[in-house]
Amino acid sequence: MTALAPLPSLSSRDFPAFFQALHGFPPFPWQVRLLRDLATPCSGAQSPQAWPDSLALPTASGKTACIDIALFHLALQAELSPDKRAAPRRIFFCVDRRIIVDQAFERARLIVRRLREAADGPLSTVRRRLSHLAGGDAPLAVFQLRGGMYRDDAWATSPVQPTVICTTVDQLGSRLLFRGYGISPRSAPIHAGLAANDSLIFLDEAHCSEPFRQTLDAIRLFRSPRWAEQHQPTPFAFVEMSATPRGDGNRFDLNDDDRADKRLGPRLSMPKPATIVETRLTWRSDGFAAALAEHALRFAEEGSVRIAVMVNRVHTALRVHALLKQRDADTAVLMIGRMRPLDRDALVARWAGMLAARPQRPEPPSPVFVVATQCLEVGADFDFDALVTECASLDALRQRSGRLNRLGSPNVKPRAAIVAPIEATVDSTDDPIYGPALHETWKWLCGHAKGKARVVDFAPDAIDDALPADGERRRQTLAALSPPAPDAPVMLPAHVDLWCQTEPAPAPDSDVALFLHGPDRGVPIVSVCWRADLPVDPERWDEVVGLIPPSSPECMPVPLHAVRAWMCGTKPEDDLGDTDHGAAPDHDLSAEPAMPDRRVLLWRPQEARHTTDPREVRPGDVVVISSSLAPTCDFGHLPEVGAALADRAEQAHLIVRRRAALRLRPDLLRAWYGDAAAPLIELVAGWQHDDPPQQDIELLRESLRAIGQSHKTGDHRLDPARARAIIAAELRALSPAGLLRALKPHPAGGFAIIHPHRVDLPSVDEPEETDFSDESQESSIGAGPITLRAHTQRVVDRARAYSAGLACHLEDAVACAASLHDLGKLDPRFQTMLAGSRLRALGSEPLAKSEVPSAQRPFDPAGGRSTLPRNFRHEFLSAQLAVLHPALRDTEPELHDLIIHLVVTHHGYGRPLAPVVTDESLCDLPGFDALPAVVAEARTSWAPAHRLDSGVCDRFWRLTRRYGWWGLAYLEAVLRLADRDVSRQEQEQPT
């Protein structure tokens, strides 16, 4: 962290200029009014007021600007301590859709770029004030959580970093409830502590997320002072954003100033006539898909050039796209949630210029058809002049019509058709997506259609006028026209007592999915990626995939039941659409035999296992499938490419981890680089499996240089050829010795080059994904030998910076715990392990880390080597030594429990139990100035930490009651993230 300069002044009057500098146009009246309300002290209060409980904002009203407002509000309060500050550091933009809100994420990335480029003015002022909050580091970080990715925890690396996270209900909700999907159980307390402290949650389209809204209400209650003896006064708020909020409380609405605004007013009032069409065809039939395609083609003949076809199910979208593609392959675009982010981002980038909602945009040379599912309701910021939509619930139709003449331009003649399958026109309640709301909406449309053409105006103001004016009747009508909103189970303190136990988790446990989607609701999701280098022998698959672990951009979100059905060689009985809500169909796995050729690798935190049993696949899993099977995977939209090109591991690794990696296998190199790879293939083919000739390294560098120059332009995030060129150039830049060290044998034959350090790419906004799933590596791997004294002092300094502002002098407790956290590494066996031999350990100052990889560390007793027992954890020995340490006696007695607990849990164990360790070789500790000589004698009387009378479990529950479930997790996160940050730097930079 850098030294902090005096902060420039900022006031709410600067917000319009800040907004103008960001976007090139002024804010809407409601945006200015909301910021002014937030910055104005409440009556009789000294601090600014908190956010309203709900924002009643229709589509196209610019509600993603709440991110701008929240960041400006945070910058206004940069000088305030956490107990005085109402503006949280972490801003979550959450929506109950499988696809993340791309528009919100792109807006956040734009803010990062503008702040970074600003030399003066309000942007520079906001940047400096946000940097102050970050301790002098980057002013803002932005992230997406895309479906439970393994190690997807890059957002949770600092408690002080201002951050915007775009996420789903599953991802945020599971983290808040200590059961984060796809993350290590030992990381779960960090995520829970950060998500529930110093955080603001925007719940977009909250009417689709009623169970989660109720759960957030319960979390707000249980983290209040009523449920903790010493409450941590960090800000926490969540805000419903919906045209029809369901919750009670303080509500923010548009007013006459907004409707009179020359830019916003037309978006609310400009007519959007939609013709309702009854087909008498079932949605399952090819005829229904053909009817949708025919309407789209008719609009094109009538002069429309940007035409959206929005349907309720993925398989319907695939059929309509195929029909339109037969007419014009280049202008028929398929956009569904079941796409890999790499593929979807490239698709959006290709068409954004022509389809984005901007006053000035190029005209397409011929009509463009975008076939989409619910993902486009809240996805990319596209604007169409014609819309064909399958009948859905009223709230979904309002969202879809929000993509029609989005800016309210008087020069656009919008056309729309709402096409109903027979299921919508009959009195039915069993639609798996919309329930009875599908038929009720169709009846409502028929009752409000005008003229022989049966036209309904879907302008926001027109729809509001068509609904009952009486508040209670209006709520009843909207409830009938919306999908069923089940209640979440009543959250009890007993539930949170279960969830806060993360290592080990209790059995039986309470399923958090019920509290996110309600009983029998919610579609469990897994992440699927394809790899082209899986050998015939599945026993080595984990080694192969471990060379370049799966990361989010290469993974497609797929319903769990669809993957299980594929493993059985069948298809799901029903298509649930492209949303995260809806009841998953029952599928009797015992009735379907598994197909032996459809073996998958389950890539999980701390384990990887291959299986052909669909019952072993669980929600949140990362499922790795051979690329040769990609044509059989009817999960969603996977571009029609060869098996090798379906594997995008290197590009995804470069994007999220900023590491250059390249597998040197002939089949992959030939598919990626063509003839340019011939010299490289010939070179590698002559090497022995585990011993490349040193004299060939220079030839390898020259081969990498040649393919690194093959593609010099483009965006590495969108263009795989550009990414591969960057990878080759970065690897070639390694020294011969460095390149030799980076070469690793590929378990299936050939080699791989794994760059040891991150790639410094220009104009990259995505922070890298962290890789601390192996807590033992986190604790003891460095770029070189690092002494215990040096490491400890760095962690103390970082912990003090992170904990500044904690109530009740708790920063002193965190700093004291930091000074004691690694005392257990003084065990001579641990020092022998780090140093490589007993003799070397005795002749040097105690180490905290060494450069020796864990796989190469000595654990056999021969030659005085380490004899650490199985499951040994240095932090429990640290806690026992800390009890005797003078540093503990110098702190207030009431903080002793907390200090010892923070030491115990600084790698995620001890919540509430310790791992079982049988240690029959207790030994003396080498001299450490502050340790009394009686330590060795005292150790013989210490109860092992895993015993119930050791105090670990009792201490955990005492502190949980004292600081609250999320308060204690937050205190742990402060120390753990300080230790992780220092460890990350020590891994990168030799000391």
Side-chain angles (χ1 to χ4, degrees):
M1 294 188 176
T2 58
L4 304 181
L7 291 182
S9 61
L10 186 71
S11 76
S12 60
R13 294 187 297 274
D14 297 317
F15 177 71
F18 166 78
F19 194 97
Q20 178 82 37
L22 275 178
H23 306 292
F25 49 82
F28 290 140
W30 74 262
Q31 295 162 348
V32 177
R33 187 169 71 254
L34 177 58
L35 187 279
R36 185 178 62 242
D37 291 349
L38 291 170
T40 302
C42 301
S43 177
Q46 296 299 316
S47 60
Q49 66 182 27
W51 281 78
D53 296 302
S54 61
L55 303 176
L57 302 172
T59 186
S61 60
K63 58 187 173 183
T64 52
C66 287
I67 295 174
D68 309 40
I69 297 169
L71 289 171
F72 191 89
H73 186 212
L74 177 59
L76 279 176
Q77 301 185 11
E79 299 99 334
L80 299 180
S81 61
D83 58 327
K84 300 293 185 182
R85 181 166 38 83
R89 279 184 169 95
R90 283 171 289 281
I91 301 162
F92 294 89
F93 196 96
C94 179
V95 62
D96 192 17
R97 292 290 188 270
R98 186 176 306 119
I99 186 173
I100 302 297
V101 186
D102 289 334
Q103 179 184 357
F105 181 58
E106 289 305 317
R107 189 184 196 100
R109 288 176 59 180
L110 171 68
I111 295 172
V112 169
R113 290 194 294 271
R114 295 286 190 267
L115 292 177
R116 186 173 56 216
E117 297 164 357
D120 51 26
L123 291 181
S124 175
T125 298
V126 169
R127 182 190 68 230
R128 292 174 59 185
R129 294 176 71 88
L130 292 179
S131 292
H132 170 82
L133 283 164
D137 291 336
L140 179 64
V142 297
F143 299 90
Q144 284 179 309
L145 297 182
R146 300 183 190 244
M149 278 306 305
Y150 174 50
R151 301 171 183 166
D152 195 3
D153 59 356
W155 70 273
T157 56
S158 168
V160 299
Q161 174 67 60
T163 310
V164 175
I165 306 106
C166 300
T167 183
T168 62
V169 166
D170 276 328
Q171 292 307 299
L172 175 57
S174 64
R175 282 161 170 76
L176 280 166
L177 299 182
F178 294 88
R179 292 294 182 270
Y181 292 158
I183 63 171
S184 163
R186 296 199 297 276
S187 291
I190 295 177
H191 290 238
L194 294 185
N197 289 276
D198 219 349
S199 63
L200 167 66
I201 299 169
F202 292 117
L203 184 57
D204 194 17
E205 304 307 325
H207 58 278
C208 299
S209 311
E210 179 63 14
F212 185 49
R213 188 196 66 79
Q214 296 171 358
T215 294
L216 287 173
D217 261 333
I219 292 173
R220 182 163 54 186
L221 169 66
F222 287 144
R223 69 172 304 281
S224 68
R226 175 181 173 185
W227 291 92
E229 298 168 12
Q230 293 185 22
H231 173 65
Q232 285 300 305
T234 56
F236 175 77
F238 78 89
V239 181
E240 295 181 66
M241 295 203 303
S242 173
T244 56
R246 299 189 182 189
D248 299 324
N250 181 21
R251 170 171 163 164
F252 182 90
D253 289 279
L254 300 182
N255 63 16
D256 292 342
D257 291 339
D258 299 302
R259 291 179 171 79
D261 185 78
K262 64 180 181 180
R263 291 184 300 122
L264 180 56
R267 299 187 185 191
L268 305 174
S269 61
M270 192 64 66
K272 299 183 180 183
T275 302
I276 62 172
V277 180
E278 184 176 351
T279 65
R280 310 301 296 174
L281 296 167
T282 177
W283 63 262
R284 293 179 174 85
S285 67
D286 291 335
F288 181 68
L292 294 168
E294 286 301 318
H295 276 85
L297 293 170
R298 188 176 305 120
F299 284 153
E301 293 172 356
E302 294 172 358
S304 297
V305 293
R306 298 175 180 87
I307 304 158
V309 183
M310 302 184 70
V311 298
N312 299 346
R313 293 168 173 84
V314 169
H315 99 280
T316 307
L318 295 172
R319 292 180 181 179
V320 174
H321 177 254
L323 291 170
L324 293 174
K325 194 174 180 181
Q326 292 173 3
R327 176 186 180 275
D328 193 333
D330 290 334
T331 59
V333 183
L334 179 64
M335 188 169 294
I336 59 179
R338 297 186 205 169
M339 295 177 68
R340 297 182 299 187
L342 279 172
D343 299 326
R344 188 184 66 247
D345 292 348
L347 192 66
V348 170
R350 178 184 175 188
W351 295 101
M354 292 182 183
L355 300 177
R358 299 185 189 124
Q360 302 296 327
R361 56 183 178 176
E363 288 296 310
S366 60
V368 177
F369 302 91
V370 177
V371 183
T373 54
Q374 293 91 341
C375 73
L376 203 60
E377 295 174 11
V378 292
D381 190 19
F382 287 171
D383 182 17
F384 301 94
D385 47 35
L387 170 67
V388 180
T389 174
E390 182 178 354
C391 187
S393 61
L394 182 63
D395 61 305
L397 293 177
R398 293 179 74 175
Q399 286 288 349
R400 298 175 188 184
S401 65
R403 304 286 163 187
L404 183 63
N405 192 17
R406 191 166 176 80
L407 300 182
S409 172
N411 301 321
V412 175
K413 183 181 179 182
R415 300 174 174 88
I418 301 173
V419 184
I422 192 171
E423 288 85 357
T425 61
V426 299
D427 189 4
S428 174
T429 62
D430 61 354
D431 185 80
I433 303 175
Y434 299 109
L438 180 64
H439 177 63
E440 292 298 323
T441 298
W442 177 251
K443 290 197 303 182
W444 187 89
L445 292 172
C446 292
H448 289 79
K450 298 179 180 178
K452 293 183 178 180
R454 305 180 78 189
V455 173
V456 178
D457 186 0
F458 264 82
D461 283 350
I463 293 294
D464 286 340
D465 291 343
L467 293 169
D470 176 70
E472 184 57 33
R473 285 188 57 214
R474 187 185 186 92
R475 282 192 292 271
Q476 293 175 357
T477 300
L478 288 172
L481 302 179
S482 302
D487 292 326
V490 176
M491 187 188 295
L492 301 173
H495 289 115
V496 196
D497 275 346
L498 283 173
W499 293 327
C500 74
Q501 301 176 62
T502 54
E503 184 60 40
D509 202 358
S510 180
D511 184 6
V512 299
L514 298 176
F515 295 82
L516 308 182
H517 301 288
D520 300 321
R521 305 291 293 178
V523 182
I525 299 297
V526 298
S527 299
V528 176
C529 74
W530 289 265
R531 291 296 176 88
D533 58 340
L534 297 180
V536 175
D537 179 11
E539 295 302 326
R540 309 208 70 179
W541 282 8
D542 58 334
E543 300 176 52
V544 171
V545 175
L547 286 173
I548 307 178
S551 50
S552 51
E554 62 173 319
C555 287
M556 178 187 293
V558 181
L560 171 63
H561 68 271
V563 173
R564 286 176 167 174
W566 172 80
M567 294 177 69
C568 295
T570 63
K571 290 186 177 182
E573 296 180 1
D574 209 344
D575 190 325
L576 296 179
D578 217 4
T579 67
D580 280 335
H581 58 275
D586 293 329
H587 188 75
D588 186 4
L589 296 175
S590 62
E592 301 286 349
M595 297 185 69
D597 63 325
R598 296 194 174 181
R599 183 176 297 275
V600 303
L601 179 72
L602 305 178
W603 187 260
R604 294 170 177 162
Q606 302 151 4
E607 70 167 336
R609 57 187 303 172
H610 60 86
T611 183
T612 59
D613 187 350
R615 291 169 294 188
E616 292 193 30
V617 187
R618 303 195 301 251
D621 273 345
V622 176
V623 181
V624 184
I625 300 175
S626 172
S627 293
S628 62
L629 295 174
T632 69
C633 299
D634 191 18
F635 300 147
H637 182 35
L638 189 67
E640 298 174 1
V641 296
L645 296 179
D647 184 332
R648 304 284 286 276
E650 275 87 351
Q651 183 184 8
H653 199 69
L654 180 67
I655 292 171
V656 300
R657 292 185 174 92
R658 299 194 203 168
R659 297 298 198 275
L662 181 63
R663 290 163 292 174
L664 303 179
R665 289 177 50 82
D667 52 344
L668 299 178
L669 293 172
R670 194 174 295 110
W672 292 338
Y673 299 106
D675 294 340
L680 181 58
I681 294 172
E682 182 179 356
L683 177 67
V684 176
W687 292 351
Q688 296 297 321
H689 180 68
D690 58 353
D691 188 19
Q694 190 165 355
Q695 62 270 24
D696 284 356
I697 296 302
E698 192 57 42
L699 296 176
L700 174 60
R701 295 180 76 227
E702 286 305 306
S703 298
L704 291 170
R705 183 190 62 80
I707 61 177
Q709 294 180 338
S710 61
H711 203 89
K712 295 185 177 181
T713 60
D715 187 337
H716 70 280
R717 295 168 301 184
L718 307 175
D719 184 356
R722 173 59 176 155
R724 291 193 289 267
I726 290 175
I727 289 168
E730 289 293 330
L731 295 175
R732 192 262 176 190
L734 285 170
S735 67
L739 186 56
L740 186 62
R741 287 194 298 269
L743 271 171
K744 301 180 184 301
H746 191 293
F751 290 82
I753 314 176
I754 310 296
H755 199 296
H757 304 304
R758 60 183 290 168
V759 177
D760 187 16
L761 294 173
S763 303
V764 174
D765 300 318
E766 305 94 332
E768 62 178 317
E769 290 182 0
T770 55
D771 187 359
F772 277 140
S773 58
D774 186 342
E775 298 281 348
S776 63
Q777 289 196 33
E778 174 190 345
S779 68
S780 56
I781 291 283
I786 298 168
T787 67
L788 186 59
R789 292 179 188 275
H791 171 75
T792 299
Q793 188 56 53
R794 293 189 193 102
V795 176
V796 170
D797 294 342
R798 188 55 47 90
R800 281 202 176 277
Y802 281 177
S803 61
L806 290 176
C808 305
H809 305 291
L810 293 181
E811 64 268 26
D812 293 334
V814 174
C816 181
S819 71
L820 304 171
H821 77 289
D822 272 354
L823 286 180
K825 290 184 178 180
L826 288 169
D827 188 301
R829 299 164 298 179
F830 203 98
Q831 288 299 308
T832 299
M833 179 188 72
L834 292 178
S837 74
R838 173 79 173 187
L839 183 61
R840 198 173 301 150
L842 291 174
S844 63
E845 186 175 353
L847 298 177
K849 301 178 186 295
S850 77
E851 75 279 16
V852 181
S854 57
Q856 302 175 18
R857 289 175 173 172
F859 280 89
D860 61 277
R865 294 185 169 219
S866 175
T867 55
L868 281 173
R870 182 180 179 84
N871 294 332
F872 175 85
R873 297 300 313 174
H874 71 274
E875 55 267 37
F876 292 95
L877 177 55
S878 297
Q880 291 174 323
L881 296 178
V883 173
L884 302 168
H885 202 285
L888 186 71
R889 296 197 299 269
D890 292 341
T891 59
E892 301 176 28
E894 61 267 24
L895 296 178
H896 288 186
D897 262 2
L898 176 60
I899 293 169
I900 299 300
H901 174 79
L902 294 181
V903 171
V904 163
T905 59
H906 82 267
H907 287 302
Y909 293 93
R911 292 188 119 250
L913 302 174
V916 176
V917 181
T918 302
D919 191 353
E920 298 177 352
S921 58
L922 294 175
C923 53
D924 295 342
L925 298 172
F928 194 62
D929 294 348
L931 288 176
V934 297
V935 166
E937 180 181 350
R939 285 197 65 191
T940 60
S941 62
W942 288 338
H946 62 264
R947 269 182 30 182
L948 293 181
D949 60 351
S950 69
V952 172
C953 185
D954 292 340
R955 186 188 305 114
F956 168 77
W957 288 114
R958 286 197 304 272
L959 293 171
T960 296
R961 299 295 177 252
R962 183 182 303 172
Y963 298 108
W965 296 282
W966 290 276
L968 181 61
Y970 182 67
L971 292 171
E972 294 172 23
V974 171
L975 174 58
R976 294 185 64 189
L977 293 179
D979 188 28
R980 285 188 174 191
D981 191 32
V982 170
S983 297
R984 185 161 38 244
Q985 293 180 10
E986 291 171 341
Q987 288 181 10
E988 291 279 345
Q989 302 168 4
T991 303

